[in-house]
Amino acid sequence: MVSQTGWQRGIQQAGGTKLKINEEDTNVVEIWRFGSRVQRIDRNQREGTAHTALTLTPEGDTVISADRNGYIASYSTRTGEKLHEFVGHSQYVTSVAPSPDGRLLVSGSLDQTIRLWEIATGELLVTIFPTRDGEWVAWTPEGFFDASEHG
């Protein structure tokens, strides 16, 4: 489903590929293709615990999963192999969503930041810190920044 802003909500199904959280163990996400389980992604101590936010890319070839500790990673839906880690959040990641063209990922966390990433590389592009009064600050890993009038 595409929102009014052009970003998609977390995608649970793309084509014949579907994501399912294991009902008995939330550390496990299953990848199903045309009704058969083809892969299983298990979290471990290094990679956090339960999957807290999940999405497929629009093509269904990559799954992106986040956890309670700020850990985000992408995996191949065909092989289950980890592709990239997205390093930056320091707390529970509440949401992940791809851009409609599958190039970018936006993530939100209880660390009060929104981050924009390149899916193909895991590279952080920009971090945004919005405040409750409508102000904001944004910065890049290279040190460029901008802010609202009172940010």
Side-chain angles (χ1 to χ4, degrees), residues 124-143:
L124 176 61
L125 302 175
V126 67
T127 300
I128 303 167
F129 177 77
T131 65
R132 290 182 184 186
D133 61 1
E135 301 297 329
W136 55 270
V137 177
W139 63 93
T140 67
E142 298 82 17

Side-chain angles (χ1 to χ4, degrees), residues 18-36:
K18 186 174 184 174
L19 298 178
K20 291 183 182 179
I21 295 286
N22 185 302
E23 292 178 16
E24 298 167 7
D25 184 356
T26 58
N27 291 347
V28 176
V29 65
E30 298 172 344
I31 301 168
W32 291 69
R33 189 164 290 114
F34 301 107
S36 297

Side-chain angles (χ1 to χ4, degrees), residues 48 52 66-72 86-95 107-115 117 124 127-129 139:
T52 60
D67 85 335
R68 295 180 185 122
N69 301 320
Y71 182 84
I72 304 173
F86 300 76
V87 178
H89 284 298
S90 62
Q91 292 184 24
Y92 194 112
V93 177
T94 58
S95 56
S107 61
S109 168
L110 293 182
D111 66 11
Q112 300 179 324
T113 64
I114 299 167
R115 295 177 189 255
W117 314 86
L124 176 61
T127 300
I128 303 167
F129 177 77
W139 63 93

Side-chain angles (χ1 to χ4, degrees), residues 43 47 63-66 71-75 82 84-86:
R43 289 289 190 172
E47 296 178 349
V63 60
I64 300 168
S65 170
Y71 182 84
I72 304 173
S74 62
Y75 303 86
K82 184 185 341 176
H84 299 287
E85 293 182 347
F86 300 76

